[in-house]
Amino acid sequence: MSRLLEGVRPTRAVAAGSALNALAFAGFAALPGPPVGTGSVAAMPVYSLAGTVATPGREELGVALAQSARRGRCPAVDQLSWSIGQALAPGLLTLLFVHGPAWPWLFLPAVPPAAVPAFLLLERLTSPFPTFRRNPERPPGSSMPSG
């Protein structure tokens, strides 16, 4: 997977992971079957792929966007944010479930797409990353290989 994502901007990889998460959550909600039925089995590979696609870019962003004196702290803050989310999620999902069994499944697919514009805005505002090219010997803007 790393080789496939090598030329992709980290913000785009995280945005793609968010879109895959939304697709997986929608699959968990929409596909019929008992809790460990066809819906879970079909959506789980998409959910796993979402994490695989987004995690390297998220970690790279956490380090690259930090001030050089604080680069070691940013991965720790990233991990802390995940811990806080994992601690709050059961309460939030229970609160949504109290209002009806469909509410958690309406909420979960809606959150990741809401984050995609934020990642793309982050890319535009900061742009600390070089323009990635698959062929480093080819000058930027050329359509034909040199030589």
Side-chain angles (χ1 to χ4, degrees):
M1 183 57 69
S2 295
R3 188 174 301 190
L4 290 173
L5 296 173
E6 195 172 274
V8 177
R9 289 179 177 265
T11 48
R12 302 282 171 103
V14 175
S18 294
L20 286 168
N21 262 330
L23 181 65
F25 292 142
F28 284 128
L31 296 173
V36 185
T38 55
S40 295
V41 171
M44 188 55 70
V46 178
Y47 179 74
S48 297
L49 181 63
T52 304
V53 167
T55 299
R58 191 189 74 235
E59 290 176 355
E60 185 177 347
L61 283 172
V63 173
L65 294 176
Q67 297 170 350
S68 59
R70 297 182 180 195
R71 287 213 168 129
R73 295 179 186 174
C74 288
V77 170
D78 178 50
Q79 289 301 316
L80 180 62
S81 71
W82 280 95
S83 298
I84 291 169
Q86 289 172 341
L88 296 177
L92 174 62
L93 294 175
T94 300
L95 178 68
L96 290 168
F97 191 74
V98 166
H99 294 289
W103 280 101
W105 296 114
L106 295 172
F107 174 78
L108 286 172
V111 173
V116 171
F119 291 125
L120 299 178
L121 178 64
L122 177 68
E123 178 180 82
R124 186 176 302 170
L125 293 176
T126 58
S127 74
F129 304 103
T131 301
F132 293 100
R133 292 181 296 176
R134 294 211 180 266
N135 186 352
E137 289 132 19
R138 186 181 305 167
S142 75
S143 58
M144 300 292 289
S146 57

